[in-house]
Every structure is written in structure tokens, then in C-alpha cells.
Amino acid sequence: MALETLLVKVKTAISNSFDSVPPKLLKKKPSFKSKRNVGVLAFEIAGVMSKLLHLWQSLSDATIVRIRNDAVTLEGVRKIISNDESFLLGLACAEFAESLRLAANSVTRLSHRCEDPNLKSFHRAFLEFADSGRDPHGWALSGPKETEAKLKKMERYVTLTATLHREMEELSVLESGFRKVLNHNNHHSDNNNNEGSLVGKEQKLYELQQKIFWHKQEVKDLKERSLWNRSYDGVVILLVRFSFTVLARIKVVFGIGHSMPCLSRSLSTSATVYPTDQNANSCDEFVSGSLERSELDENKEGLGSGFFESNSELLKPPPSTLGAAALALHYANLIIVMEKMIKSPHLVGLDARDDLYGMLPSSIRSALRARLKGVGFCASDPVLAGEWRDALGRILGWLSPLAHNMIKWQSERSFEQQNLVPKTNVLLLQTLFFANKEKTEAAITELLVGLNYIWRFEREMTAKALFECANFNGLLKMQKPNPVN
């Protein structure tokens, strides 16, 4: 009974400590005229912010230089996708535009909750800015300093909101654990009247109470500093302005339509995608094609009237590609499996070989049978095996990067459904998505023919070595003298 009475007192004290709030911490009852705060939508908004920030960072000078000098000039891209630089850069631009469109759709959904009628019309204003360059509200950020300030502000909000989410989860776990301990003690209070056990249980309850108290203080502080307690309209206008600014940046980088002169100064000549002749005294001297339509615009005129419509159309794979046949991811996995086998053919068993054959579509099986027709079963020429290894290494040198990029690109898109941002900047043009199906299958068939030869060569060499070893051991046994009785 003594333990039960003590537990009741502890429970009452804890409940009072949870429910009671010091008078100085009490807030006035909000009036109907007060601005609505973000609240629990902070986590969704932080995700949208993260995507916009990642997209902005993907449009940095260094990334654009890498796209122009590395991604577009990949040997595999040139061999089985296209050697037309304008087309490839158009694909890069279209993918950036599509990523922005998806993020802007989230901003549109959030803007419908705003009190400001201008923010509610964000979608219409955004499409107008994309198609004509008109920005009647002046939402595009006006210069590098303002852009940098907003960038840091959003990064801080994202970091604090992510920390808030983590702390709230930890608080929930602590409170759940406290309730379990309290219920357990109440249930077993009649079975144990030991004074030492009583003190231990009281101490454990007190420690849990203190942890919960300090976690609540931490959560409260993070709510004040993160997106949680910010004005809803104030946060949405931040998303709106940054969406406009990212769109302006895309147009500056790829030299499309009417770009912002202030943003033009932030882009060096080396990072421009479409160089054109410029006037040295022009305010846009640091950016190519910002005030006139580039070759990319001319290529898109037949694809649709709107900026986003034309770019979405450009991302649809032609019928001759792996993307149109829905084989890009499957072929990427197939190439990676063959790459591992080619590196270690002596470790490939009959089951693995049969599994590989089971992965082949009918078109490649037919091509492989035609190539292997008339080929003998003997594979004992080390020179020919070496030549095949060199040939396979060259093919994998340009084909393997596209396969690995395909896996990365796909995993990022799946990962992005549950996380804030992807980890790398792999573009669709660097994958097998736009690869020519016929050329890719020819390369895969060549890999299979070469793998077949070096696999049989390794097996024959292994069998020969085992046979010679067995003969040698037999010879030693024959020559061994019999023991003298």
C-alpha cells in the first residue's frame, strides 16, 4: 500500500508538471486577425525547400561546366545516344525544367492556403513568367546578394526543421516509454513492497520525467526558430520567389528567352552553354544568349507553345530508344552483371551462366545464336583470349558508366519519395534511357560473345591444370619405393 500511495503521488506530481505552465510562458489567446503559422506543414514545406535548393545548386557554374565538358562528351553518350551537342544540352535543360515544374506544383498546392490573393495565383503567374518572361509582382530575386541571403535563410530553415522532426520523434519515444514504466509499476505495486525496489522505481520515473521535460524545452525552442512558428504566407512567398529565381537561372544558363540581367552577372563566360557574339559594353556581357533566342529555342518551337510543355515533350524518348521500350533499367542491370563476370570469369558457375542467359530478351538471344553459330567448342588460344579481354574492356569502358548512371538515376528518384533530396547530380542524358536500342543490343551481344570465349578458356585451362596435377601425383605414387618389410 505504501508503494501504491507513493506512485499515485509521483503520477499526480508528474501530471501537474506536464499540464501546468509558468505564467510568464503563457501566450495570449490568438485573435482572429492574427497571421496563421505553418505548424505541422513545416515538414512538407522543408522538403519542397530542399528540392529547390538542390536544383539551384545543380545550376552552379561548376556543374554547368561539368555538363558541357564531361557529360555531353562521354564516349558512351556519343556512341549510342547522340553526338548532337545541341540536342544533348536540350535534354539537360528539359530535365532541369521538369524538376522545377514538379517542385513548383508543390508550391502551387501550398499557395492555395494563403490569405494573399496574389500568392493564390502563383501558378498562373509562374507559367506566364516561364512563357513570356513577365514578372508583374517582381518575385524573381533582384541580385546576387539578395539571392545569397534568401539561400542561407532557406538552408537554415531546412536544417532546423529537420532537427525539430528528429527531436519530436525522440520525445514521442520517451513519453511512450514513460507511460509503459508507469503502467508497469502500477500493475506490479501490490506484488512488491521492498523498500529498495521502491526507491529504484521512483528514481527511474524521476529520470524519465527530467528527460521529457528537457526534450519538451528543446522542441519548443526549435519550433520558435524553425518553419513551425513562421507566418504561413511569409514562408510561401519565400518558396514563390525562389521558384521564380531558379526558373530565371535555367533560362540564363541555357540562353533561353528573356533572362534577368542581374542574374546574368553571376554566371561566368566559361559556364555558359550556348556561346554567342556579345557586345563588350552590354550589361549582359557575362552571359551568352540571355536577350535573344538560342538554337535550343528554335529546336523547341515545334514541340509546344509553352516552356514547360516543350521541355516535357523533349523528355519523351523516341521509339528507337531503350526508354521507349522500357528496357533501360533492365539492360543496365544486365550490363553490370556481365561486367562482374568479365572481371572474374573463373568464378562464374553454370548456374550463374544460366541465370544470365535467362535475363536476355529474345532479340539478344537471336543475335547471340547467330554470332555463335559455327564457333567451335575449343577455347584454348591464350592470345585470342587476351584480345577478347582487351576488346571487352574497351566496350565496358564506355558502356558501363551509362549503366551505373541508370541505376543511380533510378534509385535517386525512388529515394526522393521518402527523403528530402537526391545525393548526386546524374542527368538522364548520362544514362541508357535515350540510348539507341539496336546499338545497345549490338554492344551487349559483343560482350556476351567475348564472355563466352574467355569463360570457356578459363574452364579449359582449369581442367587442364587439374588433369596435369592428377597425372603428376599419380607419377609420384608410382615412383615411390615400397616400404621394406
Side-chain angles (χ1 to χ4, degrees):
M1 291 299 294
L3 175 59
E4 183 178 0
T5 304
L6 180 60
L7 288 175
V8 170
K9 291 181 178 180
V10 171
K11 185 176 180 181
T12 304
I14 292 170
S15 299
N16 292 337
S17 66
F18 286 168
D19 297 335
S20 61
V21 181
K24 62 180 181 180
L25 296 180
L26 289 174
K27 293 184 178 180
K28 294 181 179 179
K29 186 177 180 180
S31 64
F32 292 105
K33 295 182 179 180
S34 63
K35 297 292 183 181
R36 185 162 57 92
N37 289 342
V38 172
V40 73
L41 288 174
F43 307 122
E44 179 184 352
I45 292 175
V48 178
M49 276 189 180
S50 295
K51 292 173 184 177
L52 288 172
L53 288 169
H54 181 265
L55 188 55
W56 176 263
Q57 291 159 1
S58 299
L59 292 164
S60 66
D61 287 3
T63 305
I64 297 305
V65 170
R66 181 183 61 81
I67 291 173
R68 186 176 183 181
N69 296 340
D70 298 333
V72 172
T73 58
L74 277 175
E75 185 180 1
V77 171
R78 296 287 183 172
K79 281 183 178 291
I80 61 175
I81 297 179
S82 175
N83 56 7
D84 184 349
E85 186 172 333
S86 292
F87 170 73
L88 295 173
L89 292 172
L91 291 180
C93 176
E95 188 168 0
F96 283 125
E98 182 66 11
S99 298
L100 176 59
R101 184 186 70 81
L102 295 175
N105 285 345
S106 299
V107 178
T108 298
R109 187 176 64 255
L110 293 168
S111 68
H112 291 159
R113 297 169 172 262
C114 291
E115 297 175 1
D116 188 338
N118 289 332
L119 291 179
K120 288 185 177 180
S121 64
F122 160 74
H123 185 67
R124 179 184 55 77
F126 188 67
L127 292 181
E128 182 180 1
F129 182 64
D131 297 338
S132 66
R134 291 186 66 252
D135 183 14
H137 302 293
W139 279 338
L141 298 176
S142 59
K145 289 185 178 180
E146 185 181 12
T147 302
E148 187 66 22
K150 299 295 184 185
L151 186 70
K152 290 181 178 179
K153 187 176 184 180
M154 290 173 65
E155 288 175 342
R156 186 175 69 254
Y157 279 153
V158 168
T159 302
L160 289 171
T161 305
T163 305
L164 172 63
H165 185 269
R166 185 171 61 252
E167 291 294 330
M168 289 179 72
E169 285 187 334
E170 291 181 5
L171 177 60
S172 177
V173 170
L174 283 174
E175 290 180 332
S176 176
F178 179 81
R179 285 191 295 270
K180 288 180 180 179
V181 171
L182 197 59
N183 291 334
H184 179 270
N185 289 347
N186 286 337
H187 184 265
H188 294 279
S189 60
D190 294 334
N191 300 330
N192 192 352
N193 295 322
N194 186 281
E195 190 69 22
S197 176
L198 175 64
V199 174
K201 291 177 180 179
E202 180 183 356
Q203 181 66 25
K204 187 174 183 180
L205 286 171
Y206 177 75
E207 290 175 356
L208 281 173
Q209 180 189 8
Q210 289 299 108
K211 283 185 179 181
I212 292 173
F213 174 78
W214 290 116
H215 260 80
K216 282 190 172 183
Q217 295 303 310
E218 182 67 20
V219 167
K220 181 181 177 182
D221 178 64
L222 286 169
K223 283 183 176 181
E224 290 294 334
R225 296 161 55 204
S226 67
L227 290 169
W228 188 282
N229 276 357
R230 300 277 80 77
S231 163
Y232 187 86
D233 280 26
V235 170
V236 172
I237 188 62
L238 192 58
L239 293 174
V240 165
R241 298 197 67 187
F242 210 72
S243 299
F244 269 68
T245 307
V246 171
L247 177 55
R249 175 71 172 178
I250 291 174
K251 290 191 171 188
V252 166
V253 166
F254 292 95
I256 300 172
H258 306 279
S259 54
M260 302 288 292
C262 58
L263 290 177
S264 303
R265 294 183 179 274
S266 68
L267 190 65
S268 62
T269 305
S270 63
T272 55
V273 175
Y274 292 99
T276 58
D277 294 334
Q278 300 177 23
N279 183 351
N281 297 323
S282 170
C283 64
D284 296 299
E285 61 182 331
F286 296 101
V287 176
S288 59
S290 58
L291 297 180
E292 57 185 357
R293 295 185 65 84
S294 66
E295 182 180 354
L296 180 60
D297 292 295
E298 296 172 3
N299 292 339
K300 290 181 180 178
E301 283 181 353
L303 297 178
S305 58
F307 174 78
F308 290 109
E309 289 85 350
S310 62
N311 281 292
S312 295
E313 194 69 27
L314 194 62
L315 287 177
K316 293 181 180 179
S320 60
T321 62
L322 294 179
L327 286 171
L329 188 60
H330 180 71
Y331 278 16
N333 285 310
L334 178 62
I335 291 166
I336 291 172
V337 169
M338 287 192 294
E339 181 182 26
K340 293 177 181 178
M341 290 183 170
I342 290 169
K343 287 180 179 179
S344 305
H346 58 284
L347 299 178
V348 179
L350 290 174
D351 291 341
R353 187 167 177 262
D354 292 341
D355 290 342
L356 176 63
Y357 188 78
M359 294 177 66
L360 303 179
S362 58
S363 55
I364 294 183
R365 290 187 184 187
S366 300
L368 182 61
R369 282 194 293 267
R371 286 291 307 276
L372 294 178
K373 189 177 294 184
V375 175
F377 289 99
C378 181
S380 57
D381 187 350
V383 176
L384 183 56
E387 291 176 352
W388 266 117
R389 284 193 181 93
D390 292 340
L392 296 181
R394 287 192 297 270
I395 295 173
L396 287 174
W398 58 263
L399 186 60
S400 176
L402 299 183
H404 285 280
N405 284 341
M406 186 75 251
I407 301 297
K408 288 179 183 177
W409 189 93
Q410 185 65 38
S411 63
E412 281 180 0
R413 296 316 178 273
S414 300
F415 188 77
E416 197 177 9
Q417 302 300 318
Q418 299 177 353
N419 296 272
L420 297 180
V421 292
K423 292 183 178 180
T424 62
N425 291 315
V426 176
L427 294 174
L428 204 53
L429 69 90
Q430 299 170 269
T431 71
L432 293 172
F433 189 77
F434 290 104
N436 181 273
K437 183 175 180 288
E438 184 178 344
K439 293 180 180 179
T440 306
E441 290 184 346
I444 291 175
T445 303
E446 196 72 11
L447 289 176
L448 290 167
V449 173
L451 175 60
N452 175 69
Y453 188 87
I454 63 173
W455 179 79
R456 288 191 292 117
F457 174 79
E458 289 290 339
R459 287 180 67 86
E460 289 190 17
M461 291 301 101
T462 301
K464 183 179 179 181
L466 291 174
F467 180 75
E468 291 177 351
C469 182
N471 286 342
F472 181 71
N473 290 335
L475 183 62
L476 287 178
K477 288 180 180 179
M478 291 176 61
Q479 294 179 351
K480 185 176 181 181
N482 294 326
V484 179
N485 293 329

